[in-house]
């Protein structure tokens, strides 16, 4: 299957700082990327959907000014957690799919810890 | 709303044991159902899927049957191996044709297989 690389796999940051997470499709063009987060002992929850070259669509309850998503190219989407707080500590995972594809390919996830 | 409930882990089995991981869903309509697997340090990978009632998905010795009458999609394998140790996620989507854009996940079940 296609490969999606997510970086970093783990990050620890201080409260109030911003953190950027990258999601790259290595061997295909990802017209659509999805960002999920998972709290401990909870399900993965969709945060937002981004299509290349357009603004991301956020799920209800997700602050778009806090979780900035950029999908400027067909192989890269970034999620920036701005002014991070301890409650933002979570597991973030991206997935990517092609224009006509029915399968989404997942990155390995990023464990964010805000101290 | 739509949701997925899967059995809590961790599940610990001996090699060659029979595996069942229960998954039930709630959906307003006719979802497509999926099992994903996440091996340590890797992203989620699609294990199998079923897009309509009575379909059976199978892959790598794993099977799951879409049971509309019991709203279930239990994962089974007749003889597990140490290499099957991973976290397993049940998921659904209401997307037409089963495209995996907007997935609703269960919490995941960690499986450990001992030699």
């Amino acid at each position: 299957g296609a490969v999606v690389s997510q970086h970093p796999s783990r990050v620890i940051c201080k409260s109030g700082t911003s953190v950027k997470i990258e999601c790259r499709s290595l061997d295909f063009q990802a017209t659509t990327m999805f960002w999920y987060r998972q709290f401990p002992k909870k399900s993965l929850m969709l945060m937002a959907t981004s299509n290349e070259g357009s603004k991301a669509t956020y799920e209800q309850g997700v602050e778009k000014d806090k979780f900035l998503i950029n999908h400027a190219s067909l192989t890269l989407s970034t999620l920036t957690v701005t002014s991070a707080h301890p409650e933002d500590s979570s597991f973030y995972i991206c997935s990517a799919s092609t224009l006509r594809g029915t399968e989404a390919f997942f990155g390995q996830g990023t464990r964010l810890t805000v101290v | 709303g739509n949701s997925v409930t899967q059995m809590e882990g961790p599940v610990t089995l001996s090699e060659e044991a029979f595996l069942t991981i229960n998954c039930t869903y709630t959906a307003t309509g006719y979802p497509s159902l999926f099992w994903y697997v996440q091996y340590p340090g890797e992203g989620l990978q699609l294990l199998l899927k079923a897009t309509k009632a009575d379909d059976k998905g199978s892959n790598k010795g794993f099977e799951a049957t879409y049971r509309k009458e019991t709203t279930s999609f239990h994962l089974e394998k007749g003889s597990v191996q140490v290499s099957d140790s991973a976290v397993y996620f049940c998921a659904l989507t209401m997307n037409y044709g089963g495209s995996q854009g907007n997935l609703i996940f269960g919490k995941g079940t960690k499986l450990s297989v001992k030699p």
Side-chain angles (χ1 to χ4, degrees):
Chain A
V3 178
V4 173
S5 176
Q6 190 172 337
H7 178 79
S9 57
R10 289 179 181 272
V11 58
I12 300 173
C13 71
K14 291 185 177 180
S15 188
T17 61
S18 295
V19 174
K20 180 183 286 188
I21 302 169
E22 293 187 347
C23 180
R24 293 181 184 273
S25 56
L26 298 186
D27 51 4
F28 68 101
Q29 293 186 326
T31 50
T32 306
M33 287 191 173
F34 308 89
W35 288 94
Y36 295 83
R37 67 185 297 184
Q38 184 181 31
F39 291 104
K41 301 187 186 300
K42 301 287 186 183
S43 301
L44 282 157
M45 302 291 292
L46 181 66
M47 298 174 65
T49 302
S50 73
N51 292 297
E52 185 265 337
S54 60
K55 289 184 178 180
T57 301
Y58 290 80
E59 296 299 303
Q60 191 173 8
V62 178
E63 299 175 59
K64 60 181 68 176
D65 294 331
K66 181 166 187 62
F67 299 100
L68 300 179
I69 292 172
N70 183 285
H71 191 172
S73 79
L74 285 170
T75 58
L76 174 65
S77 176
T78 60
L79 168 67
T80 301
V81 183
T82 62
S83 187
H85 290 284
E87 57 264 32
D88 298 325
S89 298
S90 190
F91 184 70
Y92 294 86
I93 191 165
C94 70
S95 71
S97 67
T98 59
L99 181 62
R100 294 181 181 81
T102 58
E103 184 169 353
F105 303 96
F106 285 81
Q108 64 268 57
T110 299
R111 175 74 60 191
L112 170 64
T113 303
V114 184
V115 298
Chain B
N2 302 321
S3 66
V4 173
T5 302
Q6 65 181 101
M7 64 187 287
E8 301 247 353
V11 174
T12 302
L13 296 173
S14 297
E15 207 165 21
E16 299 184 1
F18 184 86
L19 168 72
T20 300
I21 301 178
N22 290 338
C23 172
T24 57
Y25 67 89
T26 301
T28 53
Y30 304 97
S32 296
L33 303 173
F34 306 86
W35 277 100
Y36 284 85
V37 57
Q38 185 174 31
Y39 299 103
E42 300 183 15
L44 271 70
Q45 302 173 26
L46 178 64
L47 180 61
L48 52 84
K49 68 178 181 181
T51 58
K52 63 182 187 297
D54 299 325
D55 270 2
K56 177 186 282 187
S58 61
N59 186 25
K60 300 181 180 179
F62 291 89
E63 292 184 339
T65 301
Y66 188 143
R67 302 281 188 204
K68 186 170 179 290
E69 62 276 13
T70 55
T71 61
S72 65
F73 194 54
H74 304 321
L75 182 68
E76 296 182 336
K77 186 173 184 180
S79 176
V80 293
Q81 305 299 312
V82 173
S83 57
D84 294 326
S85 298
V87 180
Y88 292 82
F89 292 90
C90 185
L92 70 80
T93 184
M94 302 305 296
N95 286 5
Y96 179 77
S99 64
Q100 297 157 51
N102 187 346
L103 289 160
I104 298 170
F105 285 92
K107 295 181 184 179
T109 303
K110 184 174 182 179
L111 170 66
S112 296
V113 180
K114 307 296 185 186

